[in-house]
Amino acid sequence: MKLNLIYFSPTGGTKKVLDIISEEWNCDKREIDLSLAENDFSKYSFKRDDICIVGVPSFGGRAPQVALSRIKKMSGGSVNTIMVAVYGNRAYEDTLLELEDILEQCNFHCIAAIAANAEHSIMHEFGKGRPDIEDEKDLKGFVKKIKAVLNENCEEKVVQVPGNNPYKEFKVVPFIPIVSNECNKCGLCIKKCPTNAICKDNPLFLDESKCISCMRCISICPKNARMLDKEKLYLLIQKLETVSYTHLRAHETDSYLV
């Protein structure tokens, strides 16, 4: 048996959650990073006796389209699959349902789902330090339940997750990173951008039509040369603080089984 970790994690939060979950399996593991734009995702196929853990962040209550487009190229092979939606302490809305729909289309057999908190990729004070010790305890406890399900015959069952179809309209204010004079044009952001939005010849230029505000370039810049407009960021924080965001634990880990 092989455990496949399939994730889209521009700033590392989703990857942290999957790492915690995967610790409970003692078997061969393979990582598939959906943020690698140059990867040929059509080469990935899975065996029935493998396990897949597929994790994505919630962007405005939806699954990132770039991640879904890359999953669509894979062949699931009826592999038992655990879905994970990671969100920044507000809500994940239709993320799990949208992810499940795509996975089932690609012949992944979804038997469990988890919605977990992580530090917000833009406003770091929301969900700061998460997943924390309590989150880790919750996640590992749910893995024990998943293992029990895997020991049963769940071939004809599909996990039911919350969400609406049609999915909610994707409405978010785009946050386009700006570049300071500290940029030394090392090219790391060009290499790591999930959508190839940064000009290959000059990282000072960015195609705003391709940018998905994932914050990868900001999180990896060794010179801290990429950033957001502070005034716009402050206004967004003020707005979100009025619509149920909190500096405290807003939700426990949500989990679903067949």
Side-chain angles (χ1 to χ4, degrees), residues 3-258:
L3 184 68
N4 298 277
L5 305 181
I6 306 170
Y7 56 87
F8 185 74
S9 186
T11 58
T14 299
K15 177 66 162 52
K16 287 181 181 178
V17 173
L18 264 65
D19 284 343
I20 293 170
I21 296 171
S22 68
E23 287 176 0
E24 298 302 295
W25 268 277
N26 184 22
C27 61
D28 291 338
K29 297 174 184 177
R30 173 173 64 170
E31 294 191 10
I32 302 173
D33 186 349
L34 296 171
S35 73
L36 300 179
E38 305 305 322
N39 202 353
D40 177 14
F41 294 98
S42 64
K43 68 183 180 183
Y44 294 112
S45 59
F46 308 93
K47 298 179 180 179
R48 183 69 180 89
D49 59 351
D50 288 342
I51 298 174
C52 287
I53 305 176
V54 184
V56 299
S58 180
F59 284 0
R62 298 281 302 276
Q65 297 305 298
V66 63
L68 298 182
S69 68
R70 291 165 185 173
I71 291 172
K72 286 179 181 179
K73 297 178 182 180
M74 300 178 182
S75 178
S78 297
V79 63
N80 285 325
T81 302
I82 303 159
M83 301 179 293
V84 181
V86 178
Y87 62 111
N89 222 36
R90 187 184 70 86
Y92 53 92
E93 295 169 288
D94 298 335
T95 305
L96 279 176
L97 180 61
E98 188 173 18
L99 178 60
E100 181 180 42
D101 288 345
I102 294 300
L103 288 170
E104 291 290 336
Q105 289 175 24
C106 299
N107 202 24
F108 290 79
H109 182 56
C110 301
I111 56 101
I114 299 171
N117 283 131
E119 186 172 308
H120 198 284
S121 60
I122 298 177
M123 295 155 288
H124 300 288
E125 57 266 57
F126 299 130
K128 189 172 182 62
R130 301 187 71 180
D132 55 23
I133 294 175
E134 290 183 56
D135 294 318
E136 184 172 345
K137 182 179 178 181
D138 289 342
L139 290 167
K140 291 185 175 182
F142 188 56
V143 170
K144 293 180 180 179
K145 296 179 181 179
I146 293 174
K147 287 184 173 182
V149 167
L150 289 170
N151 289 328
E152 302 171 357
N153 185 0
C154 56
E155 292 184 8
E156 303 302 322
K157 300 178 182 178
V158 177
V159 66
Q160 300 296 312
V161 297
N164 297 291
N165 197 340
Y167 315 121
K168 66 168 292 188
E169 184 180 357
F170 183 70
K171 281 186 176 182
V172 295
V173 178
F175 267 78
I176 307 300
I178 55 179
V179 188
S180 74
N181 294 330
E182 296 297 317
C183 177
N184 63 359
K185 300 184 179 180
C186 71
L188 182 61
C189 59
I190 298 172
K191 181 180 179 181
K192 296 293 186 179
C193 177
T195 61
N196 290 324
I198 301 172
C199 178
K200 291 185 177 181
D201 298 321
N202 188 347
L204 299 179
F205 295 97
L206 181 149
D207 185 340
E208 295 189 10
S209 67
K210 292 182 178 180
C211 179
I212 59 172
S213 303
C214 73
M215 304 298 125
R216 162 65 66 82
C217 60
I218 291 179
S219 69
I220 65 171
C221 180
K223 293 290 186 178
N224 295 318
R226 304 184 83 87
M227 63 199 72
L228 295 176
D229 182 282
K230 292 182 179 180
E231 183 176 347
K232 290 182 179 179
L233 181 59
Y234 174 77
L235 291 174
L236 180 61
I237 291 173
Q238 293 297 107
K239 177 181 178 180
L240 292 182
E241 281 183 335
T242 66
V243 287
S244 80
Y245 262 93
T246 174
H247 294 273
L248 302 175
R249 176 177 295 266
H251 300 279
E252 299 302 322
T253 300
D254 292 337
S255 54
Y256 309 89
L257 286 168
V258 292

